[in-house]
Amino acid sequence: MKNLFTLMKARPSHSQAFTIIELLIVIAIMALLTGIIMTSLTGSKAKSRDTKRISDLGQIQLAIELYFDRCKEYPATLIGTLTGINNGCPSGISLATYTSVIPKPPVSAGQTDYAYTPLSTPSNPSDYILHATLELPNEVIKDTPSTLGPPCSNDPAQKQYCLGPK
């Protein structure tokens, strides 16, 4: 028993605690790692927003094509056909028949709506362009038909993504 007490007294008490320098070094390393992780996530967030834009345009295009299949013309606008204007379609058929809401793009690029442009007379639209501006250059832009005209091109550096009739 006496030996145990002697061993406890012989041990210095300050060797069991961290020094302030050690704590500051650990905090600095954690801050550095957090900064690296946050920087790498910024690119991932931009890619996910671009993926959402491309997916939304695909959904809008599908609704427009279903509308065309039934009405034999493309809608003059997205908003009017969604609220019930049927542009000569059978009664009760509107773009709202095929989609309940037109998706909104993520707000990071400053775009508030997806661009829809009918490419013929408003009374008989037979062609259109759906357009979105992406945040990052993307390989999917190479699939954009450059025949649609401005602002669509196959140049990934321009970050313009367009869809036309199938």
Side-chain angles (χ1 to χ4, degrees):
M1 197 64 149
K2 188 174 183 180
N3 287 339
L4 182 62
F5 288 121
T6 337
L7 285 175
M8 289 177 66
K9 286 184 180 180
R11 246 175 123 197
S13 62
H14 63 79
S15 66
Q16 293 178 348
F18 288 111
T19 65
I20 193 98
I21 302 292
E22 290 171 332
L23 285 175
L24 289 175
I25 289 173
V26 169
I27 290 171
I29 290 172
M30 289 174 61
L32 182 66
L33 290 174
T34 302
I36 291 170
I37 290 170
M38 293 305 288
T39 304
S40 67
L41 288 180
T42 303
S44 298
K45 288 179 182 180
K47 284 180 185 178
S48 70
R49 288 188 296 265
D50 283 348
T51 302
K52 180 177 180 353
R53 287 181 185 96
I54 292 168
S55 174
D56 286 350
L57 285 183
Q59 290 177 355
I60 295 169
Q61 182 183 32
L62 179 62
I64 289 171
E65 293 296 333
L66 290 170
Y67 180 90
F68 178 81
D69 188 47
R70 183 66 189 255
C71 301
K72 306 300 181 225
E73 65 180 25
Y74 293 110
T77 66
L78 292 181
I79 304 302
T81 52
L82 193 58
T83 56
I85 300 170
N86 60 11
N87 295 333
C89 283
S91 179
I93 301 296
S94 68
L95 196 58
T97 308
Y98 306 106
T99 183
S100 58
V101 65
I102 301 296
K104 298 280 186 190
V107 287
S108 63
Q111 195 174 10
T112 57
D113 287 315
Y114 293 113
Y116 171 76
T117 308
L119 296 178
S120 56
T121 62
S123 61
N124 186 19
S126 60
D127 211 356
Y128 67 89
I129 294 177
L130 275 173
H131 172 260
T133 303
L134 303 180
E135 292 179 56
L136 300 173
N138 197 320
E139 287 298 311
V140 77
I141 295 173
K142 292 181 181 175
D143 297 335
T144 295
S146 60
T147 56
L148 293 175
C152 304
S153 74
N154 292 32
D155 182 11
Q158 291 205 4
K159 303 187 249 180
Q160 306 297 323
Y161 183 70
C162 300
L163 292 175
K166 290 188 176 192

